[in-house]
Amino acid sequence: MCGIVGYIGDNNVSEILLKGLDNLKYRGYDSAGIALFNNNQIEIYKSVGKLENLKNKMSKIVSETKDSLFGIGHIRWATHGVANEVNAHPHISSNKDIVVVHNGIIENYKELKENLIEKGYSFASQTDTEVIANLISDEYKYALNLKDAVRNALPKLKGAYAICVMCKNESDKFVVARKHAPLIIGVGNNENIVASDLPAIIAITSDVIYLNDEEIAVIKKDSVEIESVDGSLIPLKIVKISMEVDAVSKMGYKHYMLKEINEQPNIVRNLLNGRISDVNAKIKLDEIKIPLDILRNLSKIQIIACGTSLHAGLVGKYLIEDLASVPVEVEPASEYIYRNNTTDANSLVIAISQSGETADTLTAVRQAREKGAYIVVITNRPDSNITRYSDSILNVNAGIEVSVAATKSYTAQLLMLYLFAIYFAEVKGKSDDRISLIKEELLSIPTKMEEILSDDSNIESVADKLSKFKNFIYIGRGVNLPTAMEGALKLKEVSYINANAYPAGELKHGPIALLDEDVPIVSVLIPGYITYDKIIANCEEAKARNAKLITVTSSEDEKLKNLFDVIVKIPSVSDLLSPLLSVIPFQLFAYHISNFLGKDVDQPRNLAKSVTVE
């Protein structure tokens, strides 16, 4: 959530800031603003709602800002205070000398605010960020330079922050700092740029510096200096990134979500490439750095994640317990961090996070690390914060996912969990003909995914017919219960339709009271699974209550036509691997319903791509 961009150089500052913010919109936001150092003063421009509103405002004064020396920008996702221009970033101190943009949350802002009010500072907004501006302004009176003022203010802040700070008295620099929130410096030729994520940087430079926790950087047009909070100079570590500008392009698709759904077959192909070369040979997962004797002796695994990643983790539980016979606990990171759990030095914790910046998951990983646990991280961003606490990083390599609703990152996480479960089973000495058959079938999954995607027009027509309903119930059993949960989540995320998921066997223990002709039941039905007949019986019960029945299935049973109102076919697949295929119709179903209803598919209301607050 939220996005920061700061630029200093010889090019058009406002244009670069607006373009950078445009490339960060996927993180979620409800207001935007920029501050420019122009005509020896700081000028601030803000707007509520879409970034286009700010762009329109800036277009009317473009001639007045073309000579700006540098500036900082921000898109905000409201935490403290409603979304309006007053609460939008950037925020300026009451002395009008310090301007700040900020990602994160300052937990002790109320105490700091009261102290600053006693000192004579005033506040216009409801935000915690304005406290930072006034605090640095207060320190500036004694430090007399921006870098030291920021350094002296930081120890007083409790919580998470990535900040970019300008001072009206210093016309050649801005200062940035971070703690538990990402910030990246792009090093260019006589220009430098700072952002909270790579898409805002890639158009300027491919040379970047990842700022670490409690580091401060002074950014000038022709230099970058980094120091620790205690003042120690830190050598610059510049790395070259390979991300292309078209990573944030729709490539001809109407929405990013549809583009990313269609990218899934190739993502799975790439992940399989080199890891399964021979179905009779052991899987190759060199990224696992934990000693084999430790892995062999593990008696329990814990998986922690949030949202869509949590659903992937639930599938992972089935896979690991089935293939390796080791018990697995799966828990939302937001619950894990606030209870006494059983993690210890004999534990393996698998943390799953698309962004690698999810605040709850980060906190959970830090806690598990403090207890001595071994940490495996599954992420789409190997450059993210979470990897700093890991023993092994499993990069799903799905590319930038712009749509807020996760699709390709989910299937990439699933695939990595399949690979890990097989690897772990083989380490435990459980390699057999069944695992060879699973490997062989995994290699066929990309082609089967493409077969589903080629039937998109059929799913679109189904979505059209069902878009009038206001409530849906998704049901599944076993390894496809998480698929039902993910399907319901996707629908409610992008269409705002109430959709809930239940174990199919639980339908009669309460939810059945909701059923009538206005509440469709959506199910996953995979022949060969032990509960196949049970799910059919559950659907018969729903049919008796006049519910419309929709199923995603690979079954060829003609009798299903008499039971279900809509049948969406997927290619034949074994029950254990079915989540890789059964989720795709649900993704397309949610996408098309949202599109038919005229919703903002890629940026649903109230949601953020990277949730960096607990």
Side-chain angles (χ1 to χ4, degrees), residues 47 79 91 103 110 146 199 266 268 282 298 371 419 442 481 510 577:
S47 68
T79 55
H91 286 283
N103 285 355
K110 289 183 179 178
L146 182 59
N266 281 335
V268 171
K282 288 188 176 181
L298 285 173
K371 292 184 175 182
L419 295 173
L442 272 176
L481 172 57
L577 271 68

Side-chain angles (χ1 to χ4, degrees), residues 488-504:
L489 177 62
K490 283 289 132 334
L491 184 60
K492 72 180 76 172
E493 277 183 322
V494 299
S495 72
Y496 318 146
I497 290 172
N498 181 41
N500 296 296
Y502 301 97

Side-chain angles (χ1 to χ4, degrees), residues 357-499:
E357 305 292 348
T358 307
D360 288 318
T361 310
L362 267 170
T363 301
V365 167
R366 283 195 291 265
Q367 289 181 2
R369 168 64 78 193
E370 288 169 1
K371 292 184 175 182
Y374 293 92
I375 310 291
V376 171
V377 166
I378 297 177
T379 183
N380 194 32
R381 301 299 297 272
D383 55 342
S384 60
N385 261 338
I386 200 169
T387 61
R388 302 166 196 263
Y389 306 97
S390 65
D391 296 290
S392 301
I393 303 166
L394 296 178
N395 177 15
V396 301
N397 203 27
I400 289 289
E401 190 173 54
V402 176
S403 179
V404 169
T407 53
K408 65 177 183 177
S409 63
Y410 176 73
T411 52
Q413 289 170 351
L414 283 188
L415 197 280
M416 191 58 78
L417 284 162
Y418 278 93
L419 295 173
F420 176 81
I422 296 169
Y423 171 85
F424 186 47
E426 291 178 337
V427 168
K428 299 279 286 185
K430 296 184 179 292
S431 182
D432 54 25
D433 290 342
R434 183 186 178 217
I435 287 180
S436 295
L437 290 172
I438 291 171
K439 291 178 189 175
E440 185 174 3
E441 189 174 11
L442 272 176
L443 293 173
S444 71
I445 289 295
T447 301
K448 292 179 178 180
M449 285 180 164
E450 288 167 340
E451 188 177 334
I452 297 170
L453 292 168
S454 69
D455 193 37
D456 181 34
S457 59
N458 178 49
I459 298 172
E460 184 178 10
S461 67
V462 170
D464 187 17
K465 295 172 185 175
L466 296 175
S467 59
K468 64 180 181 180
F469 291 97
K470 304 300 182 186
N471 299 280
F472 284 79
I473 289 178
Y474 285 64
I475 59 173
R477 285 197 182 223
V479 74
N480 271 304
L481 172 57
T483 307
M485 297 167 71
E486 178 61 13
L489 177 62
K490 283 289 132 334
L491 184 60
K492 72 180 76 172
E493 277 183 322
V494 299
S495 72
Y496 318 146
I497 290 172
N498 181 41

Side-chain angles (χ1 to χ4, degrees), residues 89-283:
H89 297 214
H91 286 283
I92 190 166
S93 63
S94 58
N95 290 339
K96 308 300 181 185
D97 59 346
I98 300 294
V99 176
V100 175
V101 292
H102 162 229
N103 285 355
I105 283 184
I106 304 305
E107 296 169 359
N108 62 331
Y109 83 100
K110 289 183 179 178
E111 299 93 317
L112 292 172
K113 187 173 184 176
E114 290 171 1
N115 181 259
L116 289 164
I117 289 173
E118 289 177 1
K119 291 184 176 183
Y121 291 89
S122 61
F123 292 83
S125 76
Q126 300 168 284
T127 68
D128 53 345
T129 302
E130 193 178 6
V131 170
I132 302 175
N134 277 326
L135 181 63
I136 294 174
S137 178
D138 189 56
E139 294 294 342
Y140 192 78
K141 292 187 298 187
Y142 310 102
L144 300 179
N145 71 76
L146 182 59
K147 178 182 68 175
D148 288 341
V150 171
R151 174 185 289 111
N152 294 339
L154 294 182
K156 299 179 180 180
L157 302 176
K158 295 180 181 178
Y161 58 78
I163 57 172
C164 198
V165 189
M166 298 169 62
C167 177
K168 76 169 186 177
N169 300 321
E170 301 187 28
S171 61
D172 64 338
K173 70 175 74 69
F174 56 84
V175 174
V176 301
R178 60 152 285 183
K179 181 180 180 181
H180 302 333
L183 207 55
I184 305 160
I185 303 167
V187 181
N189 183 16
N190 219 36
E191 61 179 345
N192 290 306
I193 186 168
V194 171
S196 51
D197 206 355
L198 290 172
I201 289 177
I202 54 178
I204 302 296
T205 180
S206 59
D207 293 330
V208 303
I209 300 168
Y210 293 100
L211 203 65
N212 292 313
D213 273 357
E214 299 185 312
E215 291 182 348
I216 301 168
V218 178
I219 313 296
K220 297 184 179 181
K221 182 172 70 172
D222 55 0
S223 68
V224 174
E225 290 185 357
I226 301 177
E227 297 180 5
S228 63
V229 174
D230 65 10
S232 304
L233 194 65
I234 296 173
L236 302 185
K237 184 179 179 181
I238 299 174
V239 298
K240 191 168 288 291
I241 56 172
S242 58
M243 186 182 298
E244 301 295 334
V245 175
D246 64 8
V248 290
S249 166
K250 291 179 185 172
M251 303 297 286
Y253 289 94
K254 185 175 181 180
H255 296 97
Y256 285 109
M257 184 177 179
L258 186 58
K259 172 199 171 194
E260 288 157 5
I261 290 171
N262 279 274
E263 288 175 337
Q264 292 174 115
N266 281 335
I267 290 168
V268 171
R269 277 194 185 94
N270 291 337
L271 283 175
L272 290 171
N273 186 35
R275 292 189 168 97
I276 302 177
S277 55
D278 182 343
V279 297
N280 295 312
K282 288 188 176 181
I283 203 163

Side-chain angles (χ1 to χ4, degrees), residues 55-86:
K55 289 180 180 178
N56 291 337
K57 180 181 287 189
M58 297 302 298
S59 68
K60 299 172 184 176
I61 55 172
V62 64
S63 61
E64 301 171 24
T65 62
K66 65 181 178 64
D67 296 323
S68 300
L69 301 177
F70 60 93
I72 57 179
H74 191 269
I75 49 174
R76 175 181 186 252
W77 190 81
T79 55
H80 295 76
V82 299
N84 59 29
E85 281 198 15
V86 174

